[in-house]
Amino acid sequence: MATEDKPQLQSRLGTEQLNIGYADTLIVNNLNLSIPAGKITALVGSNGSGKSTILKTMARLMKPSSGAVLLDGKSIHSQPTKDVAKQLAILPQTPTAPDGLTVTELIGFGRSPHQRGFGSISTQDREVIEWAINVTGLGAFRDRAIDQLSGGQRQRAWIAMALAQQTDILFLDEPTTFLDMAHQLEVLQLLQKLNEEEGRTIVMVVHDLNHATRYAQHMVAIKSGTVVAEGTPGEVMTREVLREVFAIEADILVDPRTGVPLCLPYELARRA
């Protein structure tokens, strides 16, 4: 569980008394959250817990009922859209592209916040697009249509588009959804590489708890729009937290390769 005497992690992004709702239903109540800079943060919780809603609001896709999302001490909802787009990028859960759009064309859309005129591609834009293609390993597919790619390749192309925005902060909503195990690892290892080599701050909603502990240095466990626990994987992945957040009983094992905790659920928790 998070404690008050923990050392503060350096942060550029966080929430302050954030309330988020749909119509008259409050989904997130009084959320105060700090995202550590230069780390991968995983938001975890059961379906309907509010984690995707929190991510979308922090990424400025949704407007809160009250409170604020702060970026460098300023509310992102009061800043010009183009300014925010130069600082953070988001990959939604199920992005779609027009039929026939190529990988290079898709990545080019990531340069929009930096362009002065509509459709004007500068030399710098081309250099950044080329860099995004190379860092995501898409050189062989640059002229391939997005709808002709495998799931993992397609997801890498969308990540490349987000990278082309050249933001320090990257949001991803369930980036491995609908991917098989090999493609899941492909995407997660790419994110790990971007974090380690580029210093990107990454915030992602993750369903697989073992993926969260392996690839994130910071975890936030959410239940009914409220933070139950946050901290390192070792601090969050406990039997007590899993019982409260997911209503499961689980053994916690240690990965012999990485030393991070792994979850082995074996039954539903008995309700009081």
Side-chain angles (χ1 to χ4, degrees):
M1 296 284 184
T3 58
E4 294 182 357
D5 57 355
K6 275 189 186 178
Q8 290 293 100
L9 297 170
Q10 181 184 3
S11 174
R12 294 182 55 208
L13 178 71
T15 67
E16 188 174 84
Q17 297 179 328
L18 192 69
N19 293 308
I20 314 169
Y22 298 97
D24 296 328
T25 303
L26 193 65
I27 305 299
V28 176
N29 182 29
N30 197 33
L31 181 71
N32 294 287
L33 189 62
S34 182
I35 301 298
K39 293 184 180 296
I40 297 178
T41 294
L43 306 182
V44 301
S46 60
N47 291 340
S49 62
K51 55 189 184 298
S52 289
T53 298
I54 292 169
L55 185 87
K56 291 173 185 176
T57 306
M58 293 185 72
R60 206 171 180 257
L61 293 184
M62 290 181 60
K63 189 174 182 179
S65 304
S66 61
V69 177
L70 301 177
L71 179 62
D72 294 328
K74 299 178 182 178
S75 170
I76 64 167
H77 291 90
S78 65
Q79 297 182 44
T81 299
K82 203 163 188 177
D83 290 350
V84 173
K86 291 178 181 179
Q87 300 177 80
L88 57 87
I90 181 167
L91 177 61
Q93 189 176 128
T94 53
T96 57
D99 291 343
L101 192 74
T102 68
V103 168
T104 300
E105 289 169 340
L106 176 68
I107 297 171
F109 285 121
R111 298 302 300 159
S112 298
H114 304 275
Q115 294 170 352
R116 294 184 179 178
F118 179 76
S120 60
I121 301 290
S122 67
T123 299
Q124 183 182 8
D125 291 333
R126 292 189 181 91
E127 290 174 352
V128 173
I129 291 169
E130 189 64 24
W131 167 81
I133 288 172
N134 290 333
V135 78
T136 52
L138 290 168
F141 309 100
R142 65 173 67 240
D143 298 320
R144 188 84 59 86
I146 297 297
D147 53 11
Q148 294 177 0
L149 300 178
S150 71
Q153 292 162 352
R154 192 179 304 119
Q155 196 74 318
R156 278 192 284 148
W158 284 103
I159 292 173
M161 186 196 73
L163 292 178
Q165 284 185 229
Q166 287 192 301
T167 65
D168 294 327
I169 302 169
L170 179 61
F171 291 97
L172 303 106
D173 192 357
E174 299 184 28
T176 58
T177 298
F178 307 126
L179 300 181
D180 60 32
M181 286 188 288
H183 288 136
Q184 288 177 22
L185 291 177
E186 182 181 20
V187 168
L188 290 167
Q189 287 172 0
L190 169 61
L191 296 175
Q192 184 179 54
K193 176 183 176 182
L194 293 171
N195 171 251
E196 293 176 350
E197 298 182 7
E198 303 286 338
R200 305 295 175 110
T201 298
I202 296 173
V203 186
M204 58 183 183
V205 170
V206 184
H207 263 305
D208 190 313
L209 291 174
N210 293 332
H211 282 168
T213 59
R214 178 175 177 182
Y215 292 99
Q217 303 100 337
H218 188 72
M219 289 178 64
V220 181
I222 300 164
K223 178 183 179 182
S224 301
T226 301
V227 173
V228 172
E230 63 178 309
T232 65
E235 292 169 325
V236 174
M237 184 80 96
T238 68
R239 297 185 69 178
E240 293 76 19
V241 170
L242 295 178
R243 187 180 298 122
E244 180 173 355
V245 173
F246 295 96
I248 60 170
E249 299 291 350
D251 289 327
I252 307 298
L253 311 178
V254 176
D255 186 332
R257 293 180 178 82
T258 62
V260 301
L262 298 176
C263 167
L264 184 63
Y266 58 86
E267 69 177 7
L268 297 174
R270 291 186 183 141
R271 301 186 183 276

